[in-house]
């Protein structure tokens, strides 16, 4: 659906520079852009009208780090730590994924993002062990009417190797001239020989950003940051994913070079990269965006990201205060700020000034939160707090990307979900067959460590008998 669309009478969170909140306002979209915002707008004849009364109209959310290719394994690793994740994908089974499996995961994950109001997603695609896999990833993203960035990576080979192949250069020349965004995705191990340097040089030659898992406990840390900085590869376009276990020196280097951090709070809390880092990033003035990491573990929506980020940041603030015998009386991180991180923060990280807020002339990536069937939809008192703590994917009524309706009345449009399901089921059946049933079950159910209950000095063997006899 194209032409003019108007969302009538909602509470509009513009997320513009002034963070204007406009109750009872309309948002008029013409073709690909926001044409007007205000009360009771006059609209062209034939405009599609959507009743936003009682709802929240906000910019489309932006996820700056999601491994879409893993979505076909949804929930499989719910009880993993980062160790199990590395072993399963990096060492054992990531290499058995076929191009069609990459396609199935990307297709499912891309639609999942749109359904939850995430209009722009960075596909941190580190399962591309051949360019056939990369073509499959790109094909899936281009088959879905969202806004996507393919962050090309390959965990089965060294970055210096795969970025140097003629096949990779051919892929770049064939697939990066259209609407699909492009980054390079690889990590820096901290090896003093800096083996990743040639890959950075390729990124510089191509003029594309690098996104890297930094500050991951036991994997990537301060040594990698120093190498990047000393060789001049830390730029304002660089995105440091997690940034959860870095020193003050590393945070200073990121801040000084203008980079940003992509925080995946659910991931950091559960997997063990380090404590979710917004409490530290705020101290150094490092820009933040939010991300969901992977549906092999967690939810695929940014409502969860906002909620858990507020909780983790405030929890750390209280913890630090209590350690000093103090009490936090006013929370430093507000709901408004995490909503900004989920929208404008992502746009800034991607260098996009045309998305991330609702302003006349910007791209029409728009989300309406409205659920007249839910008692949680009212009263609407604090719009930012409602988005961050009350709303969920089931409240996403309408989603526009580039002025096109991709979800309406709570349902995706122009999607063949049975066909998506079939592709995913074929991938699951194939992977399960490759592993064998024993390995499949073992991978999904890692051993539970033995837990010892502490001795309790207030428990006495004769307490009950003494109490019974009045002794």
């Amino acid at each position: 659906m194209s032409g003019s669309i108007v969302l009538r009478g909602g509470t509009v969170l513009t997320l513009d520079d002034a963070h204007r909140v406009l109750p009872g306002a309309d948002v008029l979209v013409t073709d690909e852009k926001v044409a007007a915002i205000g009360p009771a707008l006059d609209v062209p004849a034939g405009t599609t009208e959507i009743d936003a009364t009682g709802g929240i109209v906000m910019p489309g959310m932006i996820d700056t780090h999601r491994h879409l290719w893993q979505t076909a394994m949804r929930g499989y690793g719910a009880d993993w730590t980062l160790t199990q994740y590395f072993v399963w994908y990096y060492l054992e089974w990531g290499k058995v994924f076929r191009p069609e499996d990459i396609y199935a995961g990307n297709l499912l994950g891309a639609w999942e993002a749109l359904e939850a109001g995430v209009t722009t997603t960075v596909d941190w695609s580190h399962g591309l062990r051949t360019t056939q896999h990369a073509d499959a990833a790109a094909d899936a993203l281009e088959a879905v009417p969202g806004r996507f960035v393919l962050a090309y990576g390959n965990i089965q080979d060294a970055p210096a190797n795969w970025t140097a192949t003629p096949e990779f250069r051919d892929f770049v020349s064939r697939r990066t001239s259209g609407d699909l965004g492009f980054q390079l995705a690889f990590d820096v191990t901290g090896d003093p020989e800096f083996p990743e340097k040639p890959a950075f040089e390729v990124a510089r030659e191509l003029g594309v950003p690098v996104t890297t898992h930094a500050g991951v406990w036991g994997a990537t840390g301060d040594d990698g940051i120093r190498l990047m900085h000393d060789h001049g590869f830390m730029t304002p376009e660089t995105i440091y994913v997690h940034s959860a276990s870095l020193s003050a020196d590393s945070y200073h280097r990121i801040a000084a070079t203008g980079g940003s951090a992509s925080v995946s709070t659910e991931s950091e809390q559960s997997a063990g990269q380090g404590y979710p880092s917004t409490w530290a990033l705020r101290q150094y003035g490092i820009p933040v965006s939010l991300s969901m990491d992977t549906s092999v573990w967690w939810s695929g929506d940014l409502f969860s990201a906002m909620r858990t980020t507020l909780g983790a940041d405030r929890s750390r603030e209280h913890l630090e205060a209590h350690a000093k015998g103090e009490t936090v009386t006013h929370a430093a991180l507000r709901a408004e700020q995490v909503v900004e991180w989920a929208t404008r923060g992502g746009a800034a990280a991607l260098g996009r000034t045309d998305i991330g807020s609702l302003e006349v002339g910007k791209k029409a990536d728009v989300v309406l939160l409205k659920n007249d069937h839910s008692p949680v939809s009212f009263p609407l008192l604090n719009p930012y707090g409602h988005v961050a703590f009350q709303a969920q994917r089931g409240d996403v009524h309408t989603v526009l990307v580039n002025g096109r309706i991709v979800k309406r009345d709570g349902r995706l449009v122009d999607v063949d979900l049975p066909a998506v399901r079939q592709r995913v089921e074929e991938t699951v059946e194939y992977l399960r067959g490759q592993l064998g049933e024993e390995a499949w079950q073992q991978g999904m159910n890692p051993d539970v460590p033995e837990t010892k209950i502490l001795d309790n000095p207030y428990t006495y063997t004769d307490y009950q008998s003494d109490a019974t006899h009045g002794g």
Side-chain angles (χ1 to χ4, degrees), residues 49 168 270 272 346 352 357 372:
E49 301 222 3
F168 171 75
S270 182
R352 296 290 299 260
S357 62
D372 293 335

PDB file of all heavy atoms in Angstrom, residues 49 168 270 272 346 352 357 372:
ATOM      1  N   GLU A  49      -6.827   6.008   6.106  1.00  0.00           N
ATOM      2  CA  GLU A  49      -6.915   6.508   7.474  1.00  0.00           C
ATOM      3  C   GLU A  49      -6.817   5.358   8.468  1.00  0.00           C
ATOM      4  O   GLU A  49      -7.486   4.327   8.319  1.00  0.00           O
ATOM      5  CB  GLU A  49      -8.213   7.290   7.679  1.00  0.00           C
ATOM      6  CG  GLU A  49      -8.357   8.487   6.739  1.00  0.00           C
ATOM      7  CD  GLU A  49      -8.906   9.728   7.427  1.00  0.00           C
ATOM      8  OE1 GLU A  49      -9.116   9.677   8.658  1.00  0.00           O
ATOM      9  OE2 GLU A  49      -9.098  10.739   6.734  1.00  0.00           O
ATOM     10  N   PHE A 168      34.593 -12.798  -2.331  1.00  0.00           N
ATOM     11  CA  PHE A 168      34.036 -11.757  -1.472  1.00  0.00           C
ATOM     12  C   PHE A 168      33.945 -10.435  -2.223  1.00  0.00           C
ATOM     13  O   PHE A 168      32.927  -9.740  -2.153  1.00  0.00           O
ATOM     14  CB  PHE A 168      34.910 -11.596  -0.218  1.00  0.00           C
ATOM     15  CG  PHE A 168      34.549 -10.399   0.624  1.00  0.00           C
ATOM     16  CD1 PHE A 168      33.419 -10.417   1.420  1.00  0.00           C
ATOM     17  CD2 PHE A 168      35.333  -9.252   0.608  1.00  0.00           C
ATOM     18  CE1 PHE A 168      33.073  -9.321   2.189  1.00  0.00           C
ATOM     19  CE2 PHE A 168      35.008  -8.150   1.363  1.00  0.00           C
ATOM     20  CZ  PHE A 168      33.872  -8.186   2.159  1.00  0.00           C
ATOM     21  N   SER A 270      22.549 -12.860  30.817  1.00  0.00           N
ATOM     22  CA  SER A 270      22.389 -14.308  30.874  1.00  0.00           C
ATOM     23  C   SER A 270      23.625 -15.067  30.407  1.00  0.00           C
ATOM     24  O   SER A 270      23.961 -16.111  30.978  1.00  0.00           O
ATOM     25  CB  SER A 270      21.181 -14.718  30.016  1.00  0.00           C
ATOM     26  OG  SER A 270      20.949 -16.093  30.079  1.00  0.00           O
ATOM     27  N   GLY A 272      26.986 -13.951  29.946  1.00  0.00           N
ATOM     28  CA  GLY A 272      28.232 -13.755  30.672  1.00  0.00           C
ATOM     29  C   GLY A 272      29.271 -12.901  29.986  1.00  0.00           C
ATOM     30  O   GLY A 272      30.459 -13.007  30.285  1.00  0.00           O
ATOM     31  N   GLY A 346      19.860   4.002  17.523  1.00  0.00           N
ATOM     32  CA  GLY A 346      20.198   3.112  16.427  1.00  0.00           C
ATOM     33  C   GLY A 346      20.476   3.856  15.147  1.00  0.00           C
ATOM     34  O   GLY A 346      21.403   3.519  14.398  1.00  0.00           O
ATOM     35  N   ARG A 352      22.507   7.316  10.067  1.00  0.00           N
ATOM     36  CA  ARG A 352      21.298   7.648   9.316  1.00  0.00           C
ATOM     37  C   ARG A 352      20.594   8.828   9.980  1.00  0.00           C
ATOM     38  O   ARG A 352      20.095   8.725  11.098  1.00  0.00           O
ATOM     39  CB  ARG A 352      20.351   6.447   9.273  1.00  0.00           C
ATOM     40  CG  ARG A 352      20.885   5.224   8.536  1.00  0.00           C
ATOM     41  CD  ARG A 352      20.972   5.456   7.038  1.00  0.00           C
ATOM     42  NE  ARG A 352      19.707   5.748   6.419  1.00  0.00           N
ATOM     43  CZ  ARG A 352      18.972   4.851   5.747  1.00  0.00           C
ATOM     44  NH1 ARG A 352      19.378   3.595   5.643  1.00  0.00           N
ATOM     45  NH2 ARG A 352      17.845   5.215   5.168  1.00  0.00           N
ATOM     46  N   SER A 357      13.379   9.207  14.056  1.00  0.00           N
ATOM     47  CA  SER A 357      12.464  10.167  14.674  1.00  0.00           C
ATOM     48  C   SER A 357      11.343  10.462  13.690  1.00  0.00           C
ATOM     49  O   SER A 357      11.450  10.181  12.498  1.00  0.00           O
ATOM     50  CB  SER A 357      13.194  11.459  15.065  1.00  0.00           C
ATOM     51  OG  SER A 357      13.731  12.109  13.927  1.00  0.00           O
ATOM     52  N   ASP A 372      -6.862  -2.238  21.810  1.00  0.00           N
ATOM     53  CA  ASP A 372      -8.140  -1.969  22.464  1.00  0.00           C
ATOM     54  C   ASP A 372      -8.687  -3.179  23.206  1.00  0.00           C
ATOM     55  O   ASP A 372      -9.650  -3.058  23.975  1.00  0.00           O
ATOM     56  CB  ASP A 372      -9.166  -1.501  21.431  1.00  0.00           C
ATOM     57  CG  ASP A 372      -8.809  -0.142  20.833  1.00  0.00           C
ATOM     58  OD1 ASP A 372      -8.095   0.623  21.512  1.00  0.00           O
ATOM     59  OD2 ASP A 372      -9.233   0.143  19.698  1.00  0.00           O
TER      60      ASP A 372
END
